[in-house]
Amino acid sequence: SLEARERAFRVPREHPPGERDFAFLVPEAVSAGALVDLLKTEGRPVVESAFVFDRYVGDPVPKGMTSVALRVIFSVEGRSPTESEIDQVVAK
């Protein structure tokens, strides 16, 4: 309905964020939430948010491991993040 679309509209950002997707191979005992928390903590202040968009267990992932895919949104107040700023977080 038109009413639903009006509520879903968001004003575009003045300074677009950066986005990167990552896949981590971790022991099954490691929670996806722990990975998200680690990225947000270690990525301060450049990491705005991170969320899981896929989790896979099975061939070719080794037994006892899981592949967790995350999308990370990078943002800096008042401007877009630079590639260098994003690369520094990725290097951690």
Side-chain angles (χ1 to χ4, degrees):
S1 76
L2 178 59
E3 183 179 314
R5 282 184 281 167
E6 288 179 54
R7 282 185 272 153
F9 177 78
R10 293 184 190 162
V11 175
R13 294 179 181 214
E14 184 177 347
H15 305 284
E19 276 186 24
R20 290 215 186 150
D21 293 342
F22 300 93
F24 297 97
L25 190 60
V26 298
E28 286 182 359
V30 174
S31 75
L35 287 175
V36 168
D37 291 344
L38 180 65
L39 276 165
K40 291 164 109 176
T41 299
E42 293 298 317
R44 281 188 190 129
V46 182
V47 172
E48 175 183 302
S49 63
F51 61 91
V52 176
F53 68 88
D54 190 32
R55 184 170 183 188
Y56 180 77
V57 175
D59 220 16
V61 174
K63 187 172 178 123
M65 303 292 281
T66 184
S67 174
V68 179
L70 300 166
R71 174 155 298 146
V72 182
I73 310 298
F74 299 89
S75 175
V76 177
E77 189 164 335
R79 62 180 174 79
S80 293
T82 66
E83 286 298 314
S84 176
E85 289 170 321
I86 293 171
D87 289 343
Q88 286 175 6
V89 172
V90 171
K92 285 184 178 181

